[in-house]
């Protein structure tokens, strides 16, 4: 059974197929075309952490595809009332897919290990694949179609979002630069694994803002304190304070550089109002593309798992 536990579940061709299908679904939606490819299908959204974008974009996407979504939080009692193994086997009797936003990547991996329904990672401590794929779709749109050789500079924490972007940059042939305090850099075993899995990766990380930003086509940031790290917030705010995307940093970047943020933003910390609300910012088209990309992912997983035919998209 095909899952999206992380981007390591995809090869380069599969990744591009999902991006291309997302472009097509978005274009057709703009022409009023809403094929009910997932009619009578159900998506369970199993969330251990808060969400606006991931939850609503999946729910809205399922409705547009003719199906429905069921939002489940801890009150369904998984883990406390019954094992994940029992839980997921029951869920598969009612639903066709599950998106899981989990505190730990191991939860998503365990759900998928039973192979009873396709499991999609909706963010874990380690990764946020749907976010990164939608971001590649957005950057491709703002690059006139190709990302090869473009530079994405991530400013801040080598966190779940940065890690999925790093894999995506490898897949899409982008240069990836990460600038932030050394203790928050991405660890070497992950970099090595990305290189060997995807066969290429142009990546450097460091602390020199000018050097990392000066050739950026895209600048990206995320919160300095992710969900679950609240106890470290004070130390993180101090550590990351030199790495705010503000007008001074923007002057170091090329004039054409666009700014992304996965949102939610802590305005005044990792990014200032004048930058996030500027002409350079593409954060709202970026957020909107989550839905188109995830519709594509659902349809693609339906095809891979044998319950959707490509002809249904016509
Ligand atoms: N970017 C993102 O995943 O947002 P949510 O946490 O609101 O889903
Ligand atoms: N790194 C952030 C992303 C939120 C979408 C977090 O994990 O909280």
């Amino acid at each position: 059974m095909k899952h999206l536990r992380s981007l390591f579940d995809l090869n380069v061709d599969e990744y591009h197929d999902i991006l291309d299908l997302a472009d097509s679904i978005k274009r057709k939606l703009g022409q009023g075309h809403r094929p009910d490819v997932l009619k009578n299908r159900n998506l369970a959204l199993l969330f251990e952490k808060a969400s606006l974008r991931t939850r609503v974009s999946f729910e809205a996407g399922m409705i547009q595809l003719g199906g429905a979504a069921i939002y489940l939080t801890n009150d369904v009692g998984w883990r406390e009332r019954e094992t994940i193994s029992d839980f997921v086997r029951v869920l598969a009797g009612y639903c066709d897919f599950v998106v899981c936003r989990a505190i730990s990547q191991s939860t998503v991996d365990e759900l998928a290990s039973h192979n009873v329904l396709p499991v999609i990672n909706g963010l874990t401590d380690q990764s946020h694949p749907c976010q990164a794929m939608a971001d590649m779709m957005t950057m491709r749109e703002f690059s006139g179609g190709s990302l090869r050789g473009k530079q994405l500079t991530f400013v801040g924490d080598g966190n779940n979002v940065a890690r999925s972007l790093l894999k995506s940059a490898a897949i899409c042939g982008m240069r990836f630069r990460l600038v932030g305090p050394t203790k928050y850099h991405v660890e070497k075993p992950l970099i090595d694994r990305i290189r060997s899995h995807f066969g290429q990766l142009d990546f450097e990380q460091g602390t020199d803002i000018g050097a990392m930003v000066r050739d950026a086509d895209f600048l990206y940031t995320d919160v300095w304190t992710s969900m679950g790290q609240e106890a470290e917030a004070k130390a993180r705010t101090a550590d990351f304070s030199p790495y705010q995307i503000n007008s001074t940093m923007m002057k170091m970047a090329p004039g054409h550089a666009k700014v992304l943020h996965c949102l939610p933003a802590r305005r005044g910390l990792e990014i200032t109002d004048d930058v996030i609300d500027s002409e350079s910012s593409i954060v709202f088209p970026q957020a909107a593309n989550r839905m188109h990309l995830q519709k594509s992912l659902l349809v693609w997983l339906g095809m891979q798992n044998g319950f959707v035919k490509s002809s249904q998209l016509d």
Side-chain angles (χ1 to χ4, degrees):
M1 179 169 282
K2 197 78 179 169
H3 305 281
L4 185 67
R5 295 165 299 177
S6 83
L7 293 174
F8 286 130
D9 279 336
L10 300 177
N11 63 36
V12 172
D13 288 343
E14 290 171 332
Y15 189 106
H16 282 112
D17 286 347
I18 297 167
L19 249 59
D20 292 346
L21 182 58
D23 285 345
S24 159
I25 285 174
K26 180 176 178 177
R27 194 174 52 251
K28 286 183 183 165
L29 181 67
Q31 297 160 353
H33 189 54
R34 297 183 181 212
D36 53 0
V37 179
L38 295 179
K39 189 175 176 186
N40 297 328
R41 300 277 172 193
N42 281 312
L43 168 68
L45 293 160
L46 181 58
F47 278 40
E48 287 189 305
K49 292 176 171 179
S51 172
L52 169 65
R53 280 144 290 268
T54 307
R55 174 186 176 175
V56 180
S57 55
F58 268 113
E59 289 191 8
M62 276 305 283
I63 291 167
Q64 290 185 11
L65 289 165
I70 303 168
Y71 184 64
L72 305 170
T73 56
N74 289 335
D75 62 5
V76 289
W78 61 317
R79 280 190 230 284
E80 288 84 21
R81 279 184 83 218
E82 55 197 318
T83 61
I84 289 183
S85 159
D86 288 349
F87 183 91
V88 73
R89 285 182 285 174
V90 171
L91 201 63
Y94 314 133
C95 296
D96 300 288
F97 315 85
V98 58
V99 175
C100 181
R101 170 163 288 197
I103 293 165
S104 166
Q105 178 71 38
S106 62
T107 302
V108 169
D109 294 343
E110 187 179 349
L111 284 169
S113 70
H114 296 282
N115 275 320
V116 284
L117 80 176
V119 175
I120 299 169
N121 175 340
L123 180 145
T124 70
D125 56 336
Q126 297 297 314
S127 58
H128 198 0
C130 297
Q131 179 70 54
M133 293 186 85
D135 296 339
M136 291 293 140
M137 177 185 178
T138 305
M139 286 186 275
R140 212 163 72 155
E141 285 175 354
F142 282 86
S143 292
S146 175
L147 291 173
R148 184 154 296 281
K150 302 281 182 195
Q151 181 170 317
L152 169 60
T153 298
F154 189 96
V155 183
D157 188 13
N159 64 13
N160 44 8
V161 172
R163 288 155 175 265
S164 290
L165 287 169
L166 183 54
K167 293 170 199 154
S168 297
I171 293 166
C172 295
M174 291 187 92
R175 282 197 309 279
F176 192 90
R177 301 289 178 263
L178 186 142
V179 62
T182 308
K183 72 189 264 204
Y184 301 100
H185 284 178
V186 178
E187 69 278 11
K188 192 167 177 308
L190 177 65
I191 300 165
D192 292 343
R193 187 174 170 206
I194 293 172
R195 278 214 171 95
S196 88
H197 188 90
F198 298 116
Q200 58 175 4
L201 176 63
D202 182 341
F203 176 58
E204 288 172 23
Q205 53 190 343
T207 56
D208 182 343
I209 295 169
M212 294 299 194
V213 157
R214 99 178 135 231
D215 297 319
D217 297 293
F218 298 96
L219 291 175
Y220 197 122
T221 192
D222 183 13
V223 291
W224 294 336
T225 303
S226 286
M227 291 182 278
Q229 298 173 332
E230 289 76 10
E232 302 168 27
K234 205 169 160 204
R236 285 174 163 271
T237 302
D239 291 343
F240 284 108
S241 61
Y243 298 95
Q244 180 187 65
I245 300 193
N246 53 30
S247 56
T248 307
M249 193 184 291
M250 290 305 291
K251 286 194 190 94
M252 298 181 198
H256 70 268
K258 298 288 183 202
V259 176
L260 296 100
H261 190 310
C262 57
L263 302 178
R266 298 280 181 272
R267 287 167 173 253
L269 291 180
E270 74 273 6
I271 193 163
T272 53
D273 284 335
D274 60 335
V275 174
I276 199 169
D277 293 326
S278 72
E279 297 271 298
S280 304
S281 167
I282 54 172
V283 301
F284 296 110
Q286 177 190 2
N289 275 341
R290 292 290 304 279
M291 182 181 74
H292 307 296
L293 186 285
Q294 289 157 195
K295 284 172 70 181
S296 166
L297 176 63
L298 290 164
V299 171
W300 186 84
L301 280 172
M303 292 194 285
Q304 294 295 313
N305 290 307
F307 58 87
V308 172
K309 291 192 180 65
S310 58
S311 59
Q312 290 176 256
L313 280 166
D314 298 337

